[in-house]
Amino acid sequence: MRVLIGIVGALVVLGTFSSVLRTLVIAQPTRSSFTRMLHKMVYVPFQFLADRCRTPEGKHRALTPVAAVSILFHLIGWLIALWLGYAMLQVAISGYGVLDALRETGVALFTLGFASGRRVGLTVLDFCAAATGPIVIGLQVGYLPTLYGAYSRREAEVTMLGARAGSPPWGPEILARYGQVGLTGSMTELFRNWERWSAEVSESHTSYVILSRFRSPRCDRNWIVSLLAVMDAAAMQLALNPGRPQAEARLALRAGFGCLRDIADVWRIPYESDPSPDTAIRLTYEDFAAAVAHVTANGYSVECAPDEAWPHFRGWRINYEYLAYRFAYVLDVVPAPWSGPRRTLMETVAPVTPVDRKPSASC
């Protein structure tokens, strides 16, 4: 029986170390089953509360603590698992009872001391347990600056997009606002920036999965709807103006849906890797035609009529619509236009920025 307890304890310790390394140290798209279980234990009650909120603001307040609480809960879960694993090894090696083993291991794990003086000297197991606690806590503390640095870089572009796409962002609104100020020729810079942004988010959000749960400071902003807006703007430009230089728009689109697919692989969300351009999408032609009318009314010139551009736009959107809608649903983000359904029924929030609010008359 003691041998069996020792084997189980060794597996618990090794499995926990594997979870710590795969979550905090290995900079590759890996995800521990133990980490997923801990995150779900945190996520489910917060999502239960958010499902009872009927406004985007309420949902945002309910779900904002999820990521921070999950990080703290991971640390607590790892330390408890290591405590139990080392206690099982103590029972197997030293002959202690359960309570004595828990006391001996707990004191060694957390304070580098000893619970009693019955031992003649330090054992290898005591040294391992004593070193484990500071190592795990130190790795978690060192993990936070990297995490928040990636979050800050992500949110900088999301915030800047507000002046170009509204809040919440919407793809056609990008074209409309560039058309209003006569800067449609400078959209290449926007697409180039978001190509780089997609590459950075793909790397950071697959290495540190919890980043996807970090919400923007404001409820009307979110990284997934911002990326969707930029991709929709690029797809509309490609479809409506095939005669313009399109390299940057194409690269931004491919980087965008490549980013979504990389994150979906880590989340284990299935998707069609090579969809047919003729496959139907959830966005309707009527919505597309109304958006074309909106952008042209604001000064954006087009070469093709909506019915001519629609097949090309649909052929691009089929590459990213499903995953964008799925992430927007799972993360329960602000219901921006063209971003799909949510867990609970909410009205679509139209994009608004201070530019839309006309100042009062003055002298």
Side-chain angles (χ1 to χ4, degrees):
M1 180 60 70
R2 290 187 180 276
V3 172
L4 179 60
I5 292 175
I7 294 173
V8 173
L11 292 175
V12 170
V13 171
L14 293 175
T16 306
F17 268 120
S18 174
S19 176
V20 172
L21 291 175
R22 295 172 69 182
T23 303
L24 303 180
V25 180
I26 300 176
Q28 292 182 3
T30 60
R31 194 175 182 187
S32 164
S33 298
F34 184 58
T35 302
R36 285 200 303 272
M37 181 189 70
L38 292 175
H39 175 72
K40 192 171 184 179
M41 292 172 65
V42 173
Y43 164 74
V44 168
F46 280 97
Q47 187 63 62
F48 178 82
L49 178 62
D51 287 343
R52 272 112 193 109
C53 300
R54 290 296 178 264
T55 63
E57 294 81 3
K59 287 181 177 291
H60 183 73
R61 286 193 298 269
L63 292 174
T64 294
V66 168
V69 174
S70 181
I71 292 173
L72 179 61
F73 197 70
H74 287 166
L75 176 61
I76 294 173
W78 287 328
L79 292 176
I80 291 176
L82 290 168
W83 184 17
L84 295 176
Y86 277 122
M88 292 181 191
L89 290 172
Q90 285 278 10
V91 170
I93 294 174
S94 66
Y96 282 170
V98 175
L99 294 180
D100 288 337
L102 287 171
R103 185 177 66 241
E104 180 79 12
T105 302
V107 175
L109 182 64
F110 297 111
T111 65
L112 194 60
F114 292 93
S116 67
R118 291 180 294 171
R119 302 184 62 85
V120 176
L122 294 174
T123 63
V124 174
L125 189 59
D126 289 319
F127 275 119
C128 292
T132 297
I135 288 174
V136 173
I137 295 173
L139 287 174
Q140 183 78 318
V141 172
Y143 164 75
L144 293 179
T146 301
L147 200 66
Y148 283 96
Y151 169 76
S152 178
R153 290 190 297 272
R154 185 193 78 184
E155 289 303 308
E157 285 292 336
V158 171
T159 302
M160 289 176 61
L161 190 66
R164 296 168 170 84
S167 296
W170 181 39
E173 191 68 13
I174 297 177
L175 303 184
R177 297 194 180 200
Y178 271 81
Q180 282 178 347
V181 295
L183 292 177
T184 54
S186 66
M187 291 188 66
T188 55
E189 182 182 358
L190 172 72
F191 294 140
R192 192 179 298 116
N193 290 340
W194 276 81
E195 178 193 359
R196 185 181 300 107
W197 181 94
S198 297
E200 292 179 354
V201 168
S202 175
E203 187 277 332
S204 61
H205 287 50
T206 53
S207 299
Y208 307 107
V209 183
I210 194 62
L211 270 173
S212 298
R213 296 282 183 184
F214 274 78
R215 304 175 78 87
S216 297
R218 288 178 45 169
C219 69
D220 56 358
R221 296 173 184 162
N222 185 268
W223 68 272
I224 187 64
V225 294
S226 298
L227 176 58
L228 176 60
V230 172
M231 289 193 293
D232 279 338
M236 288 188 70
Q237 177 167 298
L238 288 169
L240 292 169
N241 292 299
R244 293 184 183 178
Q246 303 288 17
E248 287 79 7
R250 287 177 177 270
L251 291 174
L253 264 173
R254 295 188 181 280
F257 65 72
C259 170
L260 292 180
R261 292 178 179 185
D262 290 342
I263 298 174
D265 289 337
V266 177
W267 282 51
R268 300 180 181 178
I269 298 176
Y271 59 88
E272 178 60 53
S273 60
D274 188 20
S276 170
D278 298 326
T279 304
I281 61 176
R282 299 187 65 172
L283 184 72
T284 65
Y285 169 73
E286 289 73 20
D287 289 335
F288 175 74
V292 174
H294 172 66
V295 302
T296 54
N298 283 277
Y300 183 81
S301 61
V302 299
E303 301 171 10
C304 300
D307 58 337
E308 297 173 331
W310 171 247
H312 302 286
F313 175 79
R314 184 185 61 199
W316 280 109
R317 202 172 206 260
I318 192 62
N319 290 286
Y320 60 85
E321 184 188 71
Y322 169 74
L323 285 179
Y325 282 17
R326 182 69 182 273
F327 280 118
Y329 178 88
V330 172
L331 298 176
D332 215 355
V333 300
V334 56
W338 291 17
S339 63
R342 297 296 182 269
R343 296 174 61 93
T344 54
L345 183 62
M346 288 192 298
E347 294 183 0
T348 299
V349 180
V352 176
T353 67
V355 175
D356 296 320
R357 305 186 185 100
K358 296 182 179 180
S360 58
S362 62
C363 295

PDB file of all heavy atoms in Angstrom, residues 131-163:
ATOM      1  N   ALA A 131      12.383  23.444  -1.745  1.00  0.00           N
ATOM      2  CA  ALA A 131      12.743  24.260  -2.909  1.00  0.00           C
ATOM      3  C   ALA A 131      11.561  24.499  -3.829  1.00  0.00           C
ATOM      4  O   ALA A 131      11.521  25.502  -4.548  1.00  0.00           O
ATOM      5  CB  ALA A 131      13.867  23.575  -3.678  1.00  0.00           C
ATOM      6  N   THR A 132      10.591  23.607  -3.811  1.00  0.00           N
ATOM      7  CA  THR A 132       9.491  23.683  -4.775  1.00  0.00           C
ATOM      8  C   THR A 132       8.647  24.932  -4.601  1.00  0.00           C
ATOM      9  O   THR A 132       8.316  25.622  -5.572  1.00  0.00           O
ATOM     10  CB  THR A 132       8.606  22.434  -4.659  1.00  0.00           C
ATOM     11  OG1 THR A 132       9.372  21.287  -4.989  1.00  0.00           O
ATOM     12  CG2 THR A 132       7.415  22.532  -5.594  1.00  0.00           C
ATOM     13  N   GLY A 133       8.253  25.239  -3.363  1.00  0.00           N
ATOM     14  CA  GLY A 133       7.376  26.382  -3.129  1.00  0.00           C
ATOM     15  C   GLY A 133       7.948  27.686  -3.664  1.00  0.00           C
ATOM     16  O   GLY A 133       7.291  28.366  -4.472  1.00  0.00           O
ATOM     17  N   PRO A 134       9.167  28.100  -3.275  1.00  0.00           N
ATOM     18  CA  PRO A 134       9.732  29.348  -3.810  1.00  0.00           C
ATOM     19  C   PRO A 134       9.898  29.337  -5.320  1.00  0.00           C
ATOM     20  O   PRO A 134       9.743  30.364  -5.974  1.00  0.00           O
ATOM     21  CB  PRO A 134      11.095  29.445  -3.097  1.00  0.00           C
ATOM     22  CG  PRO A 134      10.921  28.663  -1.847  1.00  0.00           C
ATOM     23  CD  PRO A 134      10.020  27.525  -2.198  1.00  0.00           C
ATOM     24  N   ILE A 135      10.239  28.154  -5.885  1.00  0.00           N
ATOM     25  CA  ILE A 135      10.419  28.084  -7.334  1.00  0.00           C
ATOM     26  C   ILE A 135       9.103  28.375  -8.054  1.00  0.00           C
ATOM     27  O   ILE A 135       9.044  29.180  -8.990  1.00  0.00           O
ATOM     28  CB  ILE A 135      10.976  26.710  -7.746  1.00  0.00           C
ATOM     29  CG1 ILE A 135      12.437  26.586  -7.321  1.00  0.00           C
ATOM     30  CG2 ILE A 135      10.847  26.506  -9.253  1.00  0.00           C
ATOM     31  CD1 ILE A 135      13.030  25.213  -7.564  1.00  0.00           C
ATOM     32  N   VAL A 136       8.032  27.718  -7.623  1.00  0.00           N
ATOM     33  CA  VAL A 136       6.731  27.908  -8.281  1.00  0.00           C
ATOM     34  C   VAL A 136       6.244  29.340  -8.113  1.00  0.00           C
ATOM     35  O   VAL A 136       5.777  29.977  -9.066  1.00  0.00           O
ATOM     36  CB  VAL A 136       5.698  26.906  -7.722  1.00  0.00           C
ATOM     37  CG1 VAL A 136       4.301  27.214  -8.270  1.00  0.00           C
ATOM     38  CG2 VAL A 136       6.093  25.487  -8.082  1.00  0.00           C
ATOM     39  N   ILE A 137       6.361  29.887  -6.900  1.00  0.00           N
ATOM     40  CA  ILE A 137       5.927  31.259  -6.662  1.00  0.00           C
ATOM     41  C   ILE A 137       6.781  32.236  -7.473  1.00  0.00           C
ATOM     42  O   ILE A 137       6.267  33.199  -8.063  1.00  0.00           O
ATOM     43  CB  ILE A 137       5.993  31.583  -5.167  1.00  0.00           C
ATOM     44  CG1 ILE A 137       4.984  30.717  -4.392  1.00  0.00           C
ATOM     45  CG2 ILE A 137       5.711  33.064  -4.920  1.00  0.00           C
ATOM     46  CD1 ILE A 137       5.090  30.841  -2.895  1.00  0.00           C
ATOM     47  N   GLY A 138       8.096  31.994  -7.532  1.00  0.00           N
ATOM     48  CA  GLY A 138       8.971  32.872  -8.304  1.00  0.00           C
ATOM     49  C   GLY A 138       8.651  32.848  -9.791  1.00  0.00           C
ATOM     50  O   GLY A 138       8.659  33.892 -10.455  1.00  0.00           O
ATOM     51  N   LEU A 139       8.369  31.661 -10.321  1.00  0.00           N
ATOM     52  CA  LEU A 139       7.992  31.561 -11.736  1.00  0.00           C
ATOM     53  C   LEU A 139       6.698  32.310 -12.012  1.00  0.00           C
ATOM     54  O   LEU A 139       6.559  32.988 -13.035  1.00  0.00           O
ATOM     55  CB  LEU A 139       7.850  30.095 -12.139  1.00  0.00           C
ATOM     56  CG  LEU A 139       9.133  29.280 -12.279  1.00  0.00           C
ATOM     57  CD1 LEU A 139       8.814  27.817 -12.542  1.00  0.00           C
ATOM     58  CD2 LEU A 139       9.997  29.839 -13.406  1.00  0.00           C
ATOM     59  N   GLN A 140       5.739  32.204 -11.101  1.00  0.00           N
ATOM     60  CA  GLN A 140       4.463  32.902 -11.300  1.00  0.00           C
ATOM     61  C   GLN A 140       4.656  34.418 -11.256  1.00  0.00           C
ATOM     62  O   GLN A 140       4.079  35.144 -12.068  1.00  0.00           O
ATOM     63  CB  GLN A 140       3.465  32.471 -10.220  1.00  0.00           C
ATOM     64  CG  GLN A 140       2.087  33.075 -10.347  1.00  0.00           C
ATOM     65  CD  GLN A 140       1.252  32.390 -11.408  1.00  0.00           C
ATOM     66  OE1 GLN A 140       1.750  32.069 -12.477  1.00  0.00           O
ATOM     67  NE2 GLN A 140      -0.019  32.169 -11.105  1.00  0.00           N
ATOM     68  N   VAL A 141       5.477  34.893 -10.322  1.00  0.00           N
ATOM     69  CA  VAL A 141       5.738  36.334 -10.232  1.00  0.00           C
ATOM     70  C   VAL A 141       6.464  36.823 -11.486  1.00  0.00           C
ATOM     71  O   VAL A 141       6.147  37.884 -12.038  1.00  0.00           O
ATOM     72  CB  VAL A 141       6.551  36.658  -8.965  1.00  0.00           C
ATOM     73  CG1 VAL A 141       7.003  38.112  -8.966  1.00  0.00           C
ATOM     74  CG2 VAL A 141       5.722  36.368  -7.718  1.00  0.00           C
ATOM     75  N   GLY A 142       7.442  36.051 -11.961  1.00  0.00           N
ATOM     76  CA  GLY A 142       8.154  36.430 -13.180  1.00  0.00           C
ATOM     77  C   GLY A 142       7.290  36.353 -14.423  1.00  0.00           C
ATOM     78  O   GLY A 142       7.561  37.032 -15.427  1.00  0.00           O
ATOM     79  N   TYR A 143       6.251  35.558 -14.368  1.00  0.00           N
ATOM     80  CA  TYR A 143       5.328  35.384 -15.493  1.00  0.00           C
ATOM     81  C   TYR A 143       4.439  36.600 -15.696  1.00  0.00           C
ATOM     82  O   TYR A 143       4.054  36.933 -16.830  1.00  0.00           O
ATOM     83  CB  TYR A 143       4.511  34.129 -15.185  1.00  0.00           C
ATOM     84  CG  TYR A 143       3.245  33.863 -15.944  1.00  0.00           C
ATOM     85  CD1 TYR A 143       3.265  33.406 -17.252  1.00  0.00           C
ATOM     86  CD2 TYR A 143       2.002  33.999 -15.317  1.00  0.00           C
ATOM     87  CE1 TYR A 143       2.092  33.112 -17.932  1.00  0.00           C
ATOM     88  CE2 TYR A 143       0.826  33.710 -15.980  1.00  0.00           C
ATOM     89  CZ  TYR A 143       0.878  33.261 -17.285  1.00  0.00           C
ATOM     90  OH  TYR A 143      -0.286  32.964 -17.941  1.00  0.00           O
ATOM     91  N   LEU A 144       4.123  37.322 -14.618  1.00  0.00           N
ATOM     92  CA  LEU A 144       3.172  38.431 -14.695  1.00  0.00           C
ATOM     93  C   LEU A 144       3.658  39.591 -15.565  1.00  0.00           C
ATOM     94  O   LEU A 144       2.874  40.125 -16.365  1.00  0.00           O
ATOM     95  CB  LEU A 144       2.826  38.911 -13.294  1.00  0.00           C
ATOM     96  CG  LEU A 144       2.030  37.926 -12.431  1.00  0.00           C
ATOM     97  CD1 LEU A 144       1.771  38.515 -11.054  1.00  0.00           C
ATOM     98  CD2 LEU A 144       0.712  37.549 -13.100  1.00  0.00           C
ATOM     99  N   PRO A 145       4.924  40.065 -15.450  1.00  0.00           N
ATOM    100  CA  PRO A 145       5.343  41.166 -16.331  1.00  0.00           C
ATOM    101  C   PRO A 145       5.250  40.815 -17.816  1.00  0.00           C
ATOM    102  O   PRO A 145       4.864  41.662 -18.636  1.00  0.00           O
ATOM    103  CB  PRO A 145       6.795  41.418 -15.904  1.00  0.00           C
ATOM    104  CG  PRO A 145       6.868  40.932 -14.508  1.00  0.00           C
ATOM    105  CD  PRO A 145       5.962  39.740 -14.458  1.00  0.00           C
ATOM    106  N   THR A 146       5.603  39.585 -18.175  1.00  0.00           N
ATOM    107  CA  THR A 146       5.482  39.161 -19.570  1.00  0.00           C
ATOM    108  C   THR A 146       4.033  39.184 -20.017  1.00  0.00           C
ATOM    109  O   THR A 146       3.699  39.657 -21.119  1.00  0.00           O
ATOM    110  CB  THR A 146       6.054  37.749 -19.742  1.00  0.00           C
ATOM    111  OG1 THR A 146       7.428  37.735 -19.339  1.00  0.00           O
ATOM    112  CG2 THR A 146       5.945  37.282 -21.180  1.00  0.00           C
ATOM    113  N   LEU A 147       3.158  38.709 -19.140  1.00  0.00           N
ATOM    114  CA  LEU A 147       1.737  38.646 -19.455  1.00  0.00           C
ATOM    115  C   LEU A 147       1.153  40.048 -19.655  1.00  0.00           C
ATOM    116  O   LEU A 147       0.488  40.323 -20.670  1.00  0.00           O
ATOM    117  CB  LEU A 147       1.009  37.930 -18.323  1.00  0.00           C
ATOM    118  CG  LEU A 147      -0.371  37.333 -18.617  1.00  0.00           C
ATOM    119  CD1 LEU A 147      -0.256  36.204 -19.602  1.00  0.00           C
ATOM    120  CD2 LEU A 147      -1.005  36.856 -17.323  1.00  0.00           C
ATOM    121  N   TYR A 148       1.419  40.933 -18.717  1.00  0.00           N
ATOM    122  CA  TYR A 148       0.852  42.266 -18.796  1.00  0.00           C
ATOM    123  C   TYR A 148       1.529  43.117 -19.864  1.00  0.00           C
ATOM    124  O   TYR A 148       0.911  44.046 -20.402  1.00  0.00           O
ATOM    125  CB  TYR A 148       0.897  42.949 -17.435  1.00  0.00           C
ATOM    126  CG  TYR A 148      -0.179  42.441 -16.505  1.00  0.00           C
ATOM    127  CD1 TYR A 148       0.084  41.443 -15.574  1.00  0.00           C
ATOM    128  CD2 TYR A 148      -1.475  42.930 -16.594  1.00  0.00           C
ATOM    129  CE1 TYR A 148      -0.911  40.960 -14.747  1.00  0.00           C
ATOM    130  CE2 TYR A 148      -2.475  42.462 -15.766  1.00  0.00           C
ATOM    131  CZ  TYR A 148      -2.187  41.470 -14.842  1.00  0.00           C
ATOM    132  OH  TYR A 148      -3.187  40.981 -14.025  1.00  0.00           O
ATOM    133  N   GLY A 149       2.776  42.817 -20.203  1.00  0.00           N
ATOM    134  CA  GLY A 149       3.422  43.510 -21.313  1.00  0.00           C
ATOM    135  C   GLY A 149       2.745  43.171 -22.631  1.00  0.00           C
ATOM    136  O   GLY A 149       2.491  44.058 -23.465  1.00  0.00           O
ATOM    137  N   ALA A 150       2.451  41.882 -22.845  1.00  0.00           N
ATOM    138  CA  ALA A 150       1.747  41.469 -24.066  1.00  0.00           C
ATOM    139  C   ALA A 150       0.345  42.062 -24.100  1.00  0.00           C
ATOM    140  O   ALA A 150      -0.144  42.482 -25.161  1.00  0.00           O
ATOM    141  CB  ALA A 150       1.692  39.946 -24.141  1.00  0.00           C
ATOM    142  N   TYR A 151      -0.323  42.107 -22.957  1.00  0.00           N
ATOM    143  CA  TYR A 151      -1.663  42.694 -22.891  1.00  0.00           C
ATOM    144  C   TYR A 151      -1.625  44.177 -23.242  1.00  0.00           C
ATOM    145  O   TYR A 151      -2.469  44.678 -23.997  1.00  0.00           O
ATOM    146  CB  TYR A 151      -2.224  42.498 -21.480  1.00  0.00           C
ATOM    147  CG  TYR A 151      -3.485  43.290 -21.198  1.00  0.00           C
ATOM    148  CD1 TYR A 151      -4.712  42.887 -21.712  1.00  0.00           C
ATOM    149  CD2 TYR A 151      -3.439  44.444 -20.413  1.00  0.00           C
ATOM    150  CE1 TYR A 151      -5.867  43.614 -21.450  1.00  0.00           C
ATOM    151  CE2 TYR A 151      -4.594  45.170 -20.147  1.00  0.00           C
ATOM    152  CZ  TYR A 151      -5.803  44.751 -20.670  1.00  0.00           C
ATOM    153  OH  TYR A 151      -6.936  45.479 -20.416  1.00  0.00           O
ATOM    154  N   SER A 152      -0.640  44.904 -22.736  1.00  0.00           N
ATOM    155  CA  SER A 152      -0.535  46.334 -23.000  1.00  0.00           C
ATOM    156  C   SER A 152      -0.296  46.605 -24.476  1.00  0.00           C
ATOM    157  O   SER A 152      -0.897  47.515 -25.064  1.00  0.00           O
ATOM    158  CB  SER A 152       0.602  46.933 -22.166  1.00  0.00           C
ATOM    159  OG  SER A 152       0.762  48.304 -22.430  1.00  0.00           O
ATOM    160  N   ARG A 153       0.569  45.821 -25.121  1.00  0.00           N
ATOM    161  CA  ARG A 153       0.828  46.010 -26.552  1.00  0.00           C
ATOM    162  C   ARG A 153      -0.425  45.707 -27.367  1.00  0.00           C
ATOM    163  O   ARG A 153      -0.717  46.390 -28.354  1.00  0.00           O
ATOM    164  CB  ARG A 153       1.986  45.126 -26.996  1.00  0.00           C
ATOM    165  CG  ARG A 153       3.341  45.563 -26.439  1.00  0.00           C
ATOM    166  CD  ARG A 153       4.471  44.819 -27.097  1.00  0.00           C
ATOM    167  NE  ARG A 153       4.407  43.382 -26.842  1.00  0.00           N
ATOM    168  CZ  ARG A 153       4.942  42.782 -25.792  1.00  0.00           C
ATOM    169  NH1 ARG A 153       5.563  43.499 -24.861  1.00  0.00           N
ATOM    170  NH2 ARG A 153       4.854  41.470 -25.634  1.00  0.00           N
ATOM    171  N   ARG A 154      -1.159  44.684 -26.980  1.00  0.00           N
ATOM    172  CA  ARG A 154      -2.386  44.344 -27.691  1.00  0.00           C
ATOM    173  C   ARG A 154      -3.409  45.469 -27.585  1.00  0.00           C
ATOM    174  O   ARG A 154      -4.025  45.868 -28.573  1.00  0.00           O
ATOM    175  CB  ARG A 154      -2.972  43.057 -27.111  1.00  0.00           C
ATOM    176  CG  ARG A 154      -4.185  42.527 -27.854  1.00  0.00           C
ATOM    177  CD  ARG A 154      -4.889  41.449 -27.056  1.00  0.00           C
ATOM    178  NE  ARG A 154      -5.714  42.020 -25.977  1.00  0.00           N
ATOM    179  CZ  ARG A 154      -6.367  41.282 -25.080  1.00  0.00           C
ATOM    180  NH1 ARG A 154      -6.271  39.972 -25.096  1.00  0.00           N
ATOM    181  NH2 ARG A 154      -7.097  41.878 -24.145  1.00  0.00           N
ATOM    182  N   GLU A 155      -3.582  46.003 -26.391  1.00  0.00           N
ATOM    183  CA  GLU A 155      -4.620  46.993 -26.167  1.00  0.00           C
ATOM    184  C   GLU A 155      -4.275  48.353 -26.763  1.00  0.00           C
ATOM    185  O   GLU A 155      -5.179  49.153 -27.034  1.00  0.00           O
ATOM    186  CB  GLU A 155      -4.884  47.139 -24.669  1.00  0.00           C
ATOM    187  CG  GLU A 155      -5.584  45.939 -24.062  1.00  0.00           C
ATOM    188  CD  GLU A 155      -6.911  45.637 -24.742  1.00  0.00           C
ATOM    189  OE1 GLU A 155      -7.741  46.556 -24.867  1.00  0.00           O
ATOM    190  OE2 GLU A 155      -7.106  44.485 -25.156  1.00  0.00           O
ATOM    191  N   ALA A 156      -2.996  48.637 -27.001  1.00  0.00           N
ATOM    192  CA  ALA A 156      -2.629  49.921 -27.598  1.00  0.00           C
ATOM    193  C   ALA A 156      -3.236  50.053 -28.988  1.00  0.00           C
ATOM    194  O   ALA A 156      -3.835  51.083 -29.332  1.00  0.00           O
ATOM    195  CB  ALA A 156      -1.108  50.059 -27.655  1.00  0.00           C
ATOM    196  N   GLU A 157      -3.124  49.009 -29.811  1.00  0.00           N
ATOM    197  CA  GLU A 157      -3.706  49.057 -31.157  1.00  0.00           C
ATOM    198  C   GLU A 157      -5.230  49.030 -31.100  1.00  0.00           C
ATOM    199  O   GLU A 157      -5.904  49.663 -31.913  1.00  0.00           O
ATOM    200  CB  GLU A 157      -3.187  47.890 -31.996  1.00  0.00           C
ATOM    201  CG  GLU A 157      -1.761  48.044 -32.480  1.00  0.00           C
ATOM    202  CD  GLU A 157      -1.604  49.165 -33.501  1.00  0.00           C
ATOM    203  OE1 GLU A 157      -2.595  49.521 -34.162  1.00  0.00           O
ATOM    204  OE2 GLU A 157      -0.485  49.691 -33.625  1.00  0.00           O
ATOM    205  N   VAL A 158      -5.777  48.272 -30.159  1.00  0.00           N
ATOM    206  CA  VAL A 158      -7.234  48.216 -30.025  1.00  0.00           C
ATOM    207  C   VAL A 158      -7.788  49.589 -29.678  1.00  0.00           C
ATOM    208  O   VAL A 158      -8.816  50.029 -30.224  1.00  0.00           O
ATOM    209  CB  VAL A 158      -7.637  47.184 -28.954  1.00  0.00           C
ATOM    210  CG1 VAL A 158      -9.129  47.266 -28.640  1.00  0.00           C
ATOM    211  CG2 VAL A 158      -7.279  45.774 -29.422  1.00  0.00           C
ATOM    212  N   THR A 159      -7.111  50.312 -28.796  1.00  0.00           N
ATOM    213  CA  THR A 159      -7.559  51.654 -28.416  1.00  0.00           C
ATOM    214  C   THR A 159      -7.428  52.629 -29.577  1.00  0.00           C
ATOM    215  O   THR A 159      -8.331  53.446 -29.831  1.00  0.00           O
ATOM    216  CB  THR A 159      -6.754  52.160 -27.211  1.00  0.00           C
ATOM    217  OG1 THR A 159      -6.916  51.248 -26.121  1.00  0.00           O
ATOM    218  CG2 THR A 159      -7.218  53.536 -26.781  1.00  0.00           C
ATOM    219  N   MET A 160      -6.313  52.552 -30.295  1.00  0.00           N
ATOM    220  CA  MET A 160      -6.118  53.440 -31.435  1.00  0.00           C
ATOM    221  C   MET A 160      -7.158  53.218 -32.520  1.00  0.00           C
ATOM    222  O   MET A 160      -7.532  54.147 -33.236  1.00  0.00           O
ATOM    223  CB  MET A 160      -4.712  53.244 -32.015  1.00  0.00           C
ATOM    224  CG  MET A 160      -3.593  53.773 -31.147  1.00  0.00           C
ATOM    225  SD  MET A 160      -1.958  53.401 -31.834  1.00  0.00           S
ATOM    226  CE  MET A 160      -2.062  54.269 -33.402  1.00  0.00           C
ATOM    227  N   LEU A 161      -7.641  51.995 -32.636  1.00  0.00           N
ATOM    228  CA  LEU A 161      -8.634  51.700 -33.669  1.00  0.00           C
ATOM    229  C   LEU A 161      -9.956  52.399 -33.395  1.00  0.00           C
ATOM    230  O   LEU A 161     -10.760  52.578 -34.312  1.00  0.00           O
ATOM    231  CB  LEU A 161      -8.850  50.186 -33.762  1.00  0.00           C
ATOM    232  CG  LEU A 161      -9.688  49.686 -34.948  1.00  0.00           C
ATOM    233  CD1 LEU A 161      -8.966  49.952 -36.265  1.00  0.00           C
ATOM    234  CD2 LEU A 161     -10.008  48.199 -34.795  1.00  0.00           C
ATOM    235  N   GLY A 162     -10.210  52.812 -32.150  1.00  0.00           N
ATOM    236  CA  GLY A 162     -11.471  53.447 -31.819  1.00  0.00           C
ATOM    237  C   GLY A 162     -11.762  54.678 -32.660  1.00  0.00           C
ATOM    238  O   GLY A 162     -12.908  54.918 -33.062  1.00  0.00           O
ATOM    239  N   ALA A 163     -10.731  55.493 -32.955  1.00  0.00           N
ATOM    240  CA  ALA A 163     -10.935  56.688 -33.762  1.00  0.00           C
ATOM    241  C   ALA A 163     -11.169  56.367 -35.226  1.00  0.00           C
ATOM    242  O   ALA A 163     -11.710  57.184 -35.968  1.00  0.00           O
ATOM    243  CB  ALA A 163      -9.728  57.614 -33.631  1.00  0.00           C
TER     244      ALA A 163
END
